[in-house]
Amino acid sequence: MPALLPAPPPSRPRLLAGLDAALQTAWLGPLLTVLVTFGGSLLTGLLVIKAGFVIGIVLGALPAVLIVVGIVYAVPISGLYAAVAVSFFGPGLSRYVPAPTGLMLDGFLVLTLAVIAVRWREGRYDADRLKNVFVFMAVAWLGLTGLQIANPLSPGPVAWFYAGRGTTFYVIQTALVALLLIQRQSQLQRLIWIWLGLSFVGTLWGAKQLFLGLDAAEQAWLSVPGNLSTHVLFGKLRVFSFYSDAGQFGAAQGCVGIVGLILAVGPYPLKRRLLYGVLGLAGVYGLLISGTRGAMAVPAAGALTYLVLSRNIKMMVAGSLAIIALYSVLMFTSIGSGIYAVQRFRAGLKEGGENNSLKVRHENQMRLKGWLAGHPLGGGVGSAGSWGQRFAPGTFLANLALDSWYVRIMAEYGVFGMRLYILGLLIVLAVAARRMLAVKDRALQHTLLALLAGACGIAAASYGNQVLGQMPTSPFIYVSVAACYLAPYFDQEIEDSAEANQAA
């Protein structure tokens, strides 16, 4: 068969053809660059004078934005790497920049999804990866969140959007991006290192706050009455690093601690295990200096998950005895009472008069249950907690202290919504565990087990604090769950690699 001739190039207007030819000259290209640069600078200056400094910042950042868009378009997985990275600095950056820096995470997730949609026809992505319980539950929850717009008590679409990011949008966006883009184990490992590395930086920054003090922006944030009363107790600072608050810092560091220590006993090279161990111990230290009692549930539930799913009877018995001994020392002895962090954790385990905050939480939950009896649909997304204080000040839910993530879900979605959320979460984690246990490669299975243990620890700690829906915890937890759902694909990658090596 004769070779096919290439199709002739489409005809173009003479004007465009002439412009192309002109740009090939040695002098016109540089001249246009100078003119565009000068004209852009002049336009930016005029807009700053007329419209203010903000528009100048926007225009000044435009080239960087275009570069970022180009990078994500060329390498879509970089959008997920960036999303995990910016989730660390968005909340803390808002203390220095009067702008909604938390929206950077949304921007990278939306941009990455847009790139996936534009490049879908290239055959890079497998839609079968989305056919699982995780995506189904996320879509179902998204539907319920959408219906909440019609809730008569809803504070409005703006509140719905802002509050819905943590409860819903991050879940579906991160699930889609992670399931489609993480196509090799090396990409998952890179995400783990990004998360561990930035968490270590968070630990160092927290230590700086503890030993060297706060900078001006941090001190200004701490001086706000609500922040001062919760972050300085008995003259001691509850360290918050560059996270949104000490509760989020403690839970996130506790997650790093348990994941890092589990990885440190995995079937990896010695140097890698030592590095995991150092990063895990740094996470434990960050948990201690945060003074967050509820975050103790993260290493406890994470360790229990690891011991049960490892299916190692000796390790299960030894680990369980170690956990019981540790918590018994905290509950029934006075060892370490001279250390402030130990005092905080010991108070968190004891009930009665020594733990008044626990009583207050129970009282608030009883008040909420009474209110929900007459409002079965809840108050609508954005009606409770800090978002309620911002968008619906003076209302019952806005004035009610909601420390628990699940209690916030119940307040905004009603009892039915809360039950659906918890049921969906348990099903998603159970199926993730089943897929992880089916993995054949020991090293891969251990990595996924560590990630799943961290996710279960955060899910348990969310009963006492609103950590599951906040940055930087939520994006990486959803990535961790997605990684377990991708286990069969990783297993196949390992098998294909082994067969290729044998063939060679």
Side-chain angles (χ1 to χ4, degrees), residues 127-202:
D128 290 339
R129 289 167 164 249
L130 304 181
K131 298 176 182 178
N132 55 60
V133 173
F134 188 17
V135 174
F136 174 78
M137 289 297 181
V139 171
W141 185 251
L142 177 64
L144 181 60
T145 299
L147 293 175
Q148 278 287 339
I149 298 178
N151 190 323
L153 299 179
S154 174
V158 177
W160 176 87
F161 167 75
Y162 274 102
R165 293 155 59 218
T167 61
T168 307
F169 302 149
Y170 291 157
V171 184
I172 186 69
Q173 290 174 319
T174 309
L176 295 177
V177 170
L179 289 169
L180 290 172
L181 292 184
I182 303 177
Q183 299 180 356
R184 297 186 301 275
Q185 284 190 83
S186 59
Q187 295 171 326
L188 174 62
Q189 192 61 51
R190 197 169 294 122
L191 281 164
I192 294 174
W193 284 122
I194 291 173
W195 177 65
L196 290 174
L198 292 177
S199 297
F200 183 69
V201 174

Side-chain angles (χ1 to χ4, degrees), residues 16-208:
L16 292 180
L19 181 60
D20 285 346
L23 288 176
Q24 300 302 319
T25 62
W27 58 270
L28 187 55
L31 177 61
L32 286 176
T33 301
V34 173
L35 292 176
V36 169
T37 303
F38 177 76
S41 302
L42 181 61
L43 178 62
T44 301
L46 292 174
L47 286 174
V48 168
I49 295 173
K50 295 291 184 181
F53 186 66
V54 175
I55 190 65
I57 295 177
V58 172
L59 289 175
L62 186 58
V65 172
L66 294 177
I67 292 173
V68 169
V69 171
I71 293 174
V72 175
Y73 183 83
V75 187
I77 189 67
S78 64
L80 182 56
Y81 297 152
V84 172
V86 301
S87 68
F88 278 85
F89 301 111
L93 193 60
S94 63
R95 300 187 180 109
Y96 303 87
V97 181
T101 54
L103 292 175
M104 291 190 299
L105 171 61
D106 306 70
F108 274 106
L109 290 175
V110 171
L111 172 61
T112 307
L113 285 172
V115 169
I116 291 173
V118 170
R119 305 192 63 174
W120 187 269
R121 292 186 178 181
E122 298 178 8
R124 291 170 170 261
Y125 311 110
D126 183 5
D128 290 339
R129 289 167 164 249
L130 304 181
K131 298 176 182 178
N132 55 60
V133 173
F134 188 17
V135 174
F136 174 78
M137 289 297 181
V139 171
W141 185 251
L142 177 64
L144 181 60
T145 299
L147 293 175
Q148 278 287 339
I149 298 178
N151 190 323
L153 299 179
S154 174
V158 177
W160 176 87
F161 167 75
Y162 274 102
R165 293 155 59 218
T167 61
T168 307
F169 302 149
Y170 291 157
V171 184
I172 186 69
Q173 290 174 319
T174 309
L176 295 177
V177 170
L179 289 169
L180 290 172
L181 292 184
I182 303 177
Q183 299 180 356
R184 297 186 301 275
Q185 284 190 83
S186 59
Q187 295 171 326
L188 174 62
Q189 192 61 51
R190 197 169 294 122
L191 281 164
I192 294 174
W193 284 122
I194 291 173
W195 177 65
L196 290 174
L198 292 177
S199 297
F200 183 69
V201 174
T203 307
L204 295 179
W205 194 263
K208 187 277 299 182

Side-chain angles (χ1 to χ4, degrees), residues 198-336:
L198 292 177
S199 297
F200 183 69
V201 174
T203 307
L204 295 179
W205 194 263
K208 187 277 299 182
Q209 291 179 338
L210 182 64
F211 295 108
L212 302 180
L214 308 177
D215 60 32
E218 293 167 338
Q219 189 61 56
W221 179 84
L222 187 65
S223 298
V224 176
N227 298 333
L228 184 64
S229 61
T230 56
H231 285 75
V232 178
L233 302 178
F234 308 106
K236 300 288 186 178
L237 174 69
R238 292 181 59 206
V239 171
F240 51 89
S241 187
F242 45 70
Y243 294 61
S244 60
D245 53 66
Q248 177 61 214
F249 175 60
Q253 291 286 300
C255 185
V256 172
I258 190 62
V259 171
L261 293 178
I262 291 175
L263 290 173
V265 298
Y268 313 115
L270 179 59
K271 290 182 179 179
R272 186 170 162 188
R273 291 168 54 197
L274 289 175
L275 182 55
Y276 281 142
V278 170
L279 295 174
L281 291 175
V284 173
Y285 175 74
L287 167 62
L288 293 174
I289 63 177
S290 73
T292 306
R293 298 175 297 185
M296 291 178 63
V298 179
L304 182 61
T305 300
Y306 169 69
L307 293 174
V308 171
L309 294 181
S310 65
R311 297 175 294 183
N312 186 321
I313 302 300
K314 292 183 179 179
M315 183 179 294
M316 190 181 305
V317 173
S320 299
L321 291 175
I323 293 174
I324 293 173
L326 174 62
Y327 281 79
S328 296
V329 168
L330 290 173
M331 291 187 67
F332 304 116
T333 74
S334 59
I335 297 175

